[in-house]
Amino acid sequence: MGAKIDDAVQKLLGMWESGEMPEMIKHTTIARQKGERPCDSWSLANQILMLLSRTEDARGFRQWQEVGRRVKKGAQAIYISGPLKYTREVIDEETGEKVKRTFIRGFKDIPVFRIEDTEGAPIEDSQPNYAPKEMPPLMDVAEAWGIPVKYAAGDGRSYGAYQSTSDRSFEQIVLRTHDAVTFFHELSHAAHNRIRPLKDGQDPFQEIVAETCAAVLCLLYGYEGYVAQARHYVAHYAKAKPEEATRAVMAALSDIEKVLDMILSTSAAKPQGRTA
């Protein structure tokens, strides 16, 4: 496995150094469907609170009424956190004109109820299935690690996310695109988190590791059209020019190889692409 990983990494770096790469494929996002659950747009903290309450759908009293369901008598609410917003006029620093801006002055507890504590009309149609007809390679790795992979509609913020508590008692991958490279990226975060606990947020080192691993996996599984954008992604987090992205990779090479080895040694799906 080590020789195959080394060959793939060297091929990737050679493409980045020479600039001779396949034409870039643009990311696509999943279009929103009618009836999507409100909790799909909640923060990670609120989603974890919901899942710890042993449900995958929770909504406010009126939100349940809007889909033809009612909260059972005596049902206990669970509480999520929501921002307290206010709007005021400020001076735009660039134009010098007055504009209205929204600010957050704190947070409030919002009561929501589990679907298990409601009754009424079926809501299967309100939970659309966004999964692709054909799953990307390496889905068996997420399954082996007990990580649910969920597809959701695009939210305009990200193409995907690996979500985990510090003790990994809760983990999931959320994908807002069918592009395999995004799944590879988030799966790489999950593997990296098994090597050493990840820092919160988009840590540059962690992003460089995940995106480089995703690009190597794209080569191995025949998705070479994502190699060019990976170079730009790595360069962005390395605060370097695209042609200097390989320097950032060399500094993270040990973790990159460990992540790739963990993923490929776990998977039963053999790579289909070529590394030479």
Side-chain angles (χ1 to χ4, degrees), residues 80 107 115 150 177 212:
I80 61 173
F107 294 86
I115 184 174
K150 299 182 179 181
T177 174
T212 304

Side-chain angles (χ1 to χ4, degrees), residues 83-101:
L84 289 169
K85 299 179 180 180
Y86 69 97
T87 303
R88 72 178 184 186
E89 283 191 345
V90 297
I91 303 297
D92 188 288
E93 294 181 357
E94 294 184 0
T95 65
E97 299 178 352
K98 288 185 177 181
V99 294
K100 290 186 177 180
R101 295 276 169 81

Side-chain angles (χ1 to χ4, degrees), residues 4-22 208-220 223-224 226-231 234 245-246 249 253 256 260 274-276:
K4 190 174 188 68
I5 290 172
D6 184 64
D7 289 346
V9 171
Q10 292 307 315
K11 178 184 177 182
L12 173 70
L13 297 183
M15 295 170 74
W16 283 1
E17 287 284 351
S18 68
E20 296 177 2
M21 291 168 281
I208 290 169
V209 169
E211 188 67 7
T212 304
C213 289
V216 171
L217 292 171
C218 281
L219 291 181
L220 289 172
Y223 299 93
E224 294 193 1
Y226 296 104
V227 168
Q229 68 183 24
R231 184 173 77 153
V234 169
T246 55
V249 172
L253 193 56
I256 290 168
L260 289 169
R274 296 177 298 174
T275 59

Side-chain angles (χ1 to χ4, degrees), residues 23-199:
E23 185 175 349
M24 187 184 300
I25 297 175
K26 292 184 178 180
H27 267 301
T28 59
T29 55
I30 300 173
R32 191 173 296 273
Q33 297 179 28
K34 183 180 179 180
E36 186 177 3
R37 302 173 306 170
C39 60
D40 289 334
S41 61
W42 291 358
S43 69
L44 172 59
N46 283 337
Q47 288 180 356
I48 292 175
L49 285 173
M50 179 184 71
L51 292 170
L52 291 177
S53 298
R54 298 184 178 181
T55 187
E56 291 194 357
D57 194 354
R59 311 183 190 197
F61 192 88
R62 291 183 180 179
Q63 288 176 322
W64 282 123
Q65 289 182 328
E66 290 171 359
V67 293
R69 295 185 69 83
R70 57 187 174 275
V71 177
K72 295 177 182 177
K73 186 176 180 180
Q76 297 294 313
I78 59 177
Y79 289 85
I80 61 173
S81 180
L84 289 169
K85 299 179 180 180
Y86 69 97
T87 303
R88 72 178 184 186
E89 283 191 345
V90 297
I91 303 297
D92 188 288
E93 294 181 357
E94 294 184 0
T95 65
E97 299 178 352
K98 288 185 177 181
V99 294
K100 290 186 177 180
R101 295 276 169 81
T102 300
F103 299 89
I104 296 175
R105 64 167 177 259
F107 294 86
K108 62 180 178 180
D109 290 334
I110 300 174
V112 294
F113 297 87
R114 308 182 316 150
I115 184 174
E116 291 82 2
D117 296 323
T118 67
E119 56 190 4
I123 61 166
E124 286 81 6
D125 291 340
S126 67
Q127 300 182 54
N129 180 12
Y130 289 108
K133 293 181 180 179
E134 182 178 347
M135 291 295 188
L138 301 175
M139 195 64 69
D140 63 322
V141 177
E143 184 177 348
W145 294 343
I147 304 175
V149 178
K150 299 182 179 181
Y151 285 86
D155 62 359
R157 293 178 294 179
S158 68
Y159 293 110
Y162 165 64
Q163 302 169 339
S164 174
T165 53
S166 58
D167 60 358
R168 298 211 314 266
S169 59
F170 165 78
E171 284 183 290
Q172 73 172 3
I173 290 174
V174 178
L175 301 173
R176 301 183 183 278
T177 174
H178 290 164
D179 299 338
V181 65
T182 301
F183 171 60
F184 293 161
H185 180 102
E186 305 308 337
L187 186 66
S188 297
H189 275 315
H192 203 188
N193 197 30
R194 281 158 169 74
I195 295 169
R196 68 181 86 257
L198 295 183
K199 298 177 182 178

